[in-house]
């Protein structure tokens, strides 16, 4: 089991390119993945003594997993920065509407080069939806794994090979727990929640909202039909991450999407300004 999140033993990531974007040899790109899975820190069975390892052993394993991931994430971040690629790690519970939001974003930002890395345990369904927009995409299937990590991201980038200046969206596995801990090398995490999930999501999953740079509250077209208090949700998000921006929107009707696009544009300007300042400092 993974020392950090407890996802399935021997989980493997498989990188898949939708059919008409595979290489001429007709083969999928896939790679084995090991992100620090370890045995439980205690063992017992019929007739056996119950054995406990020191608590510090588990902490050390977790730190080792995260330290390895953070090192790879920094390499990814440098690779992306060298190519002027702005990457956003899109996280949510299953069904919050990430894929629908990305479909509309891709279509409405048609002048912007966009690429997508799709993360799911199985299937290429979301990658096929993204591909139908004309966007370049690869699918990462994590098997029993409940999140993407920096190594999976690295292999996906190698396969996708996004062009310089690309806006890159990484749609993480639907999960508000483990993706909060694993840096992929992105510019920001963006957490998407929907009004059908309940007002108290930021309180129930504080680590994700602390790690995020933006909260998108999707499906606001359904507000008249559900028990969701937008003001309280904003307050809950601010209580775990003071100052975080919350943008209500509907990926279905388009309401609020202009603020999302403005946020992306501001992030692009800030990243390029920072890169120019860094280059001037080295000169």
């Amino acid at each position: 089991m993974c020392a950090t999140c407890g996802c399935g033993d021997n989980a493997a990531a498989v990188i898949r390119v939708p059919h008409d974007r595979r290489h001429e040899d007709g083969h999928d790109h896939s790679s084995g993945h090991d992100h620090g899975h370890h045995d439980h820190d205690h063992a017992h069975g019929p007739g056996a003594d119950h054995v406990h390892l020191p608590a510090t052993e588990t902490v050390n394993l977790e730190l080792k997993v995260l330290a390895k991931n953070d090192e790879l994430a920094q390499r990814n971040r440098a690779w992306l920065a060298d190519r002027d690629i702005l990457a956003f790690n899109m996280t949510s519970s299953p069904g919050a509407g990430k894929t629908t939001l990305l479909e509309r974003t891709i279509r409405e930002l048609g002048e912007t080069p966009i690429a997508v890395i799709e993360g799911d345990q199985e299937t290429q369904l979301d990658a096929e939806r993204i591909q139908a927009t004309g966007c370049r995409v690869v699918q990462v299937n994590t098997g029993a794994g409940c999140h993407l990590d920096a190594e999976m991201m690295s292999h996906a980038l190698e396969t996708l090979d996004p062009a310089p200046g690309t806006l890159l969206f990484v749609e993480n596995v639907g999960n508000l727990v483990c993706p909060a801990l694993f840096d992929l090398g992105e510019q920001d995490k963006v957490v998407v929640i929907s009004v059908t999930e309940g007002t108290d999501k930021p309180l129930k999953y504080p680590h994700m909202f602390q790690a995020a740079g933006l909260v998108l509250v999707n499906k606001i077209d359904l507000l008249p039909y559900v028990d969701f208090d937008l003001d309280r949700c904003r307050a809950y998000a601010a209580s775990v991450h003071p100052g975080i921006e919350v943008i209500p929107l509907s990926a279905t009707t388009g309401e609020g999407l202009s603020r999302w696009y403005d946020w992306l544009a501001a992030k692009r300007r800030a990243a390029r300004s920072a890169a120019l300042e860094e280059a001037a400092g080295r000169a």
Side-chain angles (χ1 to χ4, degrees), residues 142-155:
T142 63
C146 55
H147 60 276
L148 299 179
D149 65 18
E151 184 175 1
M152 297 178 193
M153 175 80 161
S154 177
H155 290 307

Side-chain angles (χ1 to χ4, degrees), residues 4-21:
T4 301
C5 63
C7 59
D9 195 18
N10 297 320
V14 179
I15 314 296
R16 292 190 171 97
V17 181
H19 181 71
D20 64 356
R21 290 190 182 276

